[in-house]
Structures are given as C-alpha cells and as structure tokens.
Amino acid sequence: MAAPGYSETDKSEDVKVLHSMGYAQELERRMSQFSNFAVSFSIICILSGGINSLAQATSGAGGAAIGIGWPLGCFVSLVFAVAMAQISSAYPTAGGLYHWGSILGNRFTGWLTAWFNLLGLVTVLGAINVGTYYFFMGAFGTPYLALEDTTTTRIIFLAIITGAQALVNHMGIGLTAKLTDFSGYLIFATAIALAIVCLAAADTYEFSRLFTFANYSGEAGGNVWPTNSATWVFLLGLLLPIYTITGYDASAHTSEETLKAAHSVPRAMVGSVLWSALFGYIMLCAFVLMLPNMDDAAKQGWNVFFWAMSEQVHPVIKDILYLAILVAQWLCGLATVTSVSRMIFAFSRDGGLPGSKALAKVSPTYRTPVAAIWTGSVLAVLFVWGSSLVSIGDTPVYTIVVACTVIFLFFSFTIPIALGLFAWGTSKWNVMGPWNLGEGMFKLFAVLSIIAMVLIFVIGVQPPNDWALYITVGFLIVTAIVWFGFEARRFQGPPIGDEVAKRAAEIAAAERAVGETGGGH
C-alpha cells in the first residue's frame, strides 16, 4: 500500500539508492517527512533536557544563561545539523553517520564513528530515562506515593519504562511512528501551555532578567557548579541547550524507513533543531520570568523547576502539566530506542559488533531489527545500574557520563563532517543529494562544526566533570587497542565499489526473506 503522494517511481528511487550502496530494503518504508521530523524532535524533547537540566542555567549565569545562552547553544547544535543534512541527502541509509564516516573516509573512520555514536546513543538513552525517573519522583513519586530514591527503585523504574519502549519498537515502525508523531504535537502543545501558565503566574515581567548576568557558582547556586569565574559559569551553562538539542541524527538513522529519504531526511533534521530552539526559548524565557526571585531560584539547585511550579502555579494545573511532560519524556526515550537500534542494526549488517549475525536480523513479521532493539535497551539499563553504584569524589558518575555523552555524540557527528570537508568533489563524494547547500556554504558549516566540537570538548571536561576528560581519553585508548588488536584485520566496512554489484544476489535473498517485492533495479 503506497502512502499518499508516494508513487511507485518514488519507491523505486528510494530502493535504487539503497541498492546502489549495497543494501537490501529489509526495513519497512512507512515514515512520512513529518514522522522523520517527529522522531528527531521527540529525541531532542525540550520537555526532557530543557527541564531536567534547567539548573545548569539558573544556578549558573542566571537569567542570561537562558536569554542569551539558549540561542547561542542552539546555534552550536544547528551548525552540526546543517552540515549533516548535506551528507544525509547524498547517503540516506540507516545508521547514517557510520556510513558517511566509511564512504567519505575509510573503514577505520567509519568504525570509529560507529563506536562513538553507539556509545553516545546507549548512554543518552540511559540519561533520558534517568531524567524521566527523577522527573516522575519530583512530580508524583515523592509527593504522592512517598517513594524514596534508592538505586533499586531507580533500576526497577528504568527497567519497566525502557522495556515498554523496546516493546513498542519491536511491534513495528508503524506504531512507533504514530506515537512519535503524537509526541511531536504533544511537545509543541505542552511547551506552549507551560509558557502560558508561567506567564499567567508571574508576579511581574522583568524582561531585563533574561539579559542580566549573575554568578551563582558554589553555595549561591546549590553547588550545581563549583565556584568559578562569571565567564566560565556562562560557558558551562551552554551545556543546557547543547545537551538538550542533540539526537537529531535519528532522522538519518531512520532513513531506510522514510519515504523520499534523500529529500525528507535533511529537511527533518534541520527543522527539528530550529523548532526545538524556538519553542524551547519561548518556554524557558516564560519560566525565568515567572521565578519569584532569581537569587532564591539559584539556591534551589537541581530542584528549581519543582520549587518554582509549587510556589507559583495552582496545584491542579501543575499536575496536569507534569503528566503531559512525563508522557513526552517517555516518548523521548521511545524515539531514542528507535535511533539506537537502527545504529546497532546498520553496524551489525557489516559485521561491526560481536554477535552481528543475530543483531542484523530483521523480523519478517514486524519488519524491525528485534535483537538490536532489545540489546540497545538492556545495555542502557545496565549502564545506568553500573554508574549508579559508583561516584567519583562527590560527583555521581551519572553527571560525568552525561558530559561524556555530549562529547561522544558530537565527536561522532564531527568525524564525517570533517571528512566531507576534504572529500567534497573528489571521487569519494562527487554526487550531491537533492538537498544541496553548495560547496562554499557546506565548507563554512563544516569548519564551524569543527570549532564547535573543540568548544564542546573544552566545556565538557571542566569541573565538576573533569573526570570526563579521563573517561574520553581512556575510551580512545581502548578503541585503539580493539581496532589494532582485532578489527583492523577482520572488519570489512560497508560495501564499496565492485563489492556492491557482487551483493546483488544477497540483496534479492534478504528482500525475499522479509517479503519485500518490487522496486526498480
């Protein structure tokens, strides 16, 4: 059954592009451009990171961290999205970044991109669901159910919600896309509703506070940041928008399930960042205007959102908003499971992971990579459980890993972008997709991405996250050992050149196995 506006010609074009890269159409193409946008918009989820990480701004540089810091941080994320959109239009495959890293570089750069992206995605799935847990505890768990925050409670909660997310993904992209579409509308509506409620509850409108710099590091900000200079505190606050506006690579990961992928994916990727930036800005500025007093808000540290809502908002309205936010956060995790599993699937299809054969299998019934879905979900829960048992000094490992997650994810974005900068116009990349910035603009955004990566790395390893530096360096050393010790000889990378033609028979067999027929050759 073809979707409206999706002709047989479009279908055969999508399949042809995939075949030309040496892959079978095993996943089911059911996602519209809006669905592809919604999956990234849901992972970005301004109601998740934007709310759960608020203290990085309110207990840092105060109002200016939102008024000036949010647009600045969003621009940093946008730079990567624009550069990646250019590449995604030329190479629309599942696990996008990994292919771009291989095609524009070599099998080592592809493998490296895959590892960093995978590590970032698994930890970010854990981080999103931990954020949902803490939001649930603050909104309902502690006040209504008198639950205590223990490692056991946290892991049971995580296992239940992550299991449910995996189950929905298991059941097929149709159901997942319906839910992420709903999530897209829910985030828009809730962000606007929250902004209206905040503005209605504000005592006065001091717009100047959105542009007033403060320094709440140390005691004054509930020790969210160690005592630091005003400049550093403002820079550290940029982690709020940069950490929130990430995960738009999901549009690329679901390329093989998207109609007219070469057109839809780049638009969805850039659109998800722009809309999240805009609605996030309206919502967070309204929240800052509602705060009774900036100094008192800073003292609340991580509890600032619940404190302000309790102080200013009617209990019933507050609980309705909390419920909508909680649902949006769960759907954010759901979309992340989709992204993680497609990355695992694509990497395994080329033998990049232990147990690749099983991980690359697609269920003929549901047309989803079932083993990849459950593996990614289990790993995320195990990771959180492991990092809950350990804290380094006074800093919980969870906080440190969140800093690493941002570094790992953006590093996996930067590798293919930097390679693209040098590959443009060479035999590696001489055909552009339909979404094309032109050489000058792409190269400008590529250079900006590399500068932005340096900035993110420097901010990401400042105290209290100074351990992130050691973890990142440690991971690089382990990666080198694994590559030179094992993978350099074994890992073939994605099919390139003559290999693609050789795989034609395998492609036909794989498509028959899941019942895919038709499509031009």
Side-chain angles (χ1 to χ4, degrees), residues 193-279:
L194 183 59
I196 293 168
V197 167
C198 287
L199 291 173
D203 302 329
T204 54
Y205 296 139
E206 280 180 65
F207 285 101
S208 62
R209 65 164 69 159
L210 291 169
F211 307 101
T212 307
F213 286 88
N215 182 349
Y216 292 120
S217 61
E219 287 293 319
N223 290 316
V224 169
W225 299 114
T227 309
N228 222 322
S229 71
T231 314
W232 265 118
V233 166
F234 177 72
L235 287 172
L236 288 166
L238 293 178
L239 286 175
L240 165 68
I242 292 171
Y243 176 55
T244 303
I245 313 269
T246 183
Y248 38 82
D249 51 328
S251 288
H253 290 312
T254 48
S255 295
E256 290 178 29
E257 290 150 283
T258 301
L259 311 174
K260 299 194 215 174
H263 296 266
S264 306
V265 170
R267 287 182 177 80
M269 205 181 290
V270 175
S272 65
V273 173
L274 290 172
W275 285 109
S276 297
L278 176 66
F279 278 76

Side-chain angles (χ1 to χ4, degrees), residues 281-506:
Y281 195 54
I282 295 168
M283 173 182 92
L284 293 172
C285 286
F287 178 79
V288 171
L289 292 172
M290 173 184 80
L291 294 169
N293 170 314
M294 284 310 292
D295 294 349
D296 290 344
K299 273 197 206 80
Q300 300 302 318
W302 290 109
N303 195 36
V304 62
F305 181 74
F306 295 116
W307 169 79
M309 295 293 281
S310 299
E311 290 283 307
Q312 303 290 93
V313 179
H314 185 282
V316 178
I317 296 176
K318 181 185 75 173
D319 283 349
I320 292 170
L321 280 171
Y322 283 176
L323 193 62
I325 293 169
L326 190 65
V327 173
Q329 291 189 1
W330 183 81
L331 290 166
C332 168
L334 173 81
T336 310
V337 171
T338 311
S339 196
V340 176
S341 60
R342 297 325 185 251
M343 182 64 213
I344 293 176
F345 161 76
F347 195 29
S348 301
R349 185 163 61 172
D350 297 328
L353 288 170
S356 282
K357 271 220 173 3
L359 291 172
K361 274 218 175 16
V362 173
S363 153
T365 318
Y366 299 110
R367 299 289 295 272
T368 53
V370 170
I373 290 168
W374 287 99
T375 303
S377 305
V378 170
L379 285 174
V381 176
L382 288 176
F383 149 70
V384 173
W385 182 50
S387 68
S388 300
L389 302 176
V390 192
S391 78
I392 300 176
D394 298 329
T395 314
V397 166
Y398 171 71
T399 322
I400 300 168
V401 172
V402 165
C404 289
T405 296
V406 178
I407 293 168
F408 290 154
L409 274 180
F410 281 106
F411 193 55
S412 74
F413 296 175
T414 309
I415 300 170
I417 293 173
L419 292 168
L421 180 64
F422 299 106
W424 183 290
T426 66
S427 60
K428 285 187 173 177
W429 192 18
N430 47 14
V431 181
M432 298 300 145
W435 196 90
N436 189 355
L437 293 167
E439 183 170 7
M441 281 301 278
F442 172 74
K443 290 194 165 170
L444 171 67
F445 276 94
V447 170
L448 286 173
S449 300
I450 296 167
I451 296 168
M453 179 67 235
V454 174
L455 174 77
I456 291 169
F457 185 73
V458 172
I459 301 175
V461 299
Q462 295 308 310
N465 302 323
D466 33 357
W467 278 92
L469 175 62
Y470 305 114
I471 291 178
T472 308
V473 170
F475 184 72
L476 278 169
I477 294 168
V478 170
T479 308
I481 294 170
V482 173
W483 174 258
F484 291 111
F486 308 97
E487 297 296 320
R489 289 185 300 282
R490 196 193 65 81
F491 179 63
Q492 294 304 307
I496 295 172
D498 301 337
E499 183 61 26
V500 174
K502 274 196 215 133
R503 285 179 69 159
E506 290 172 33

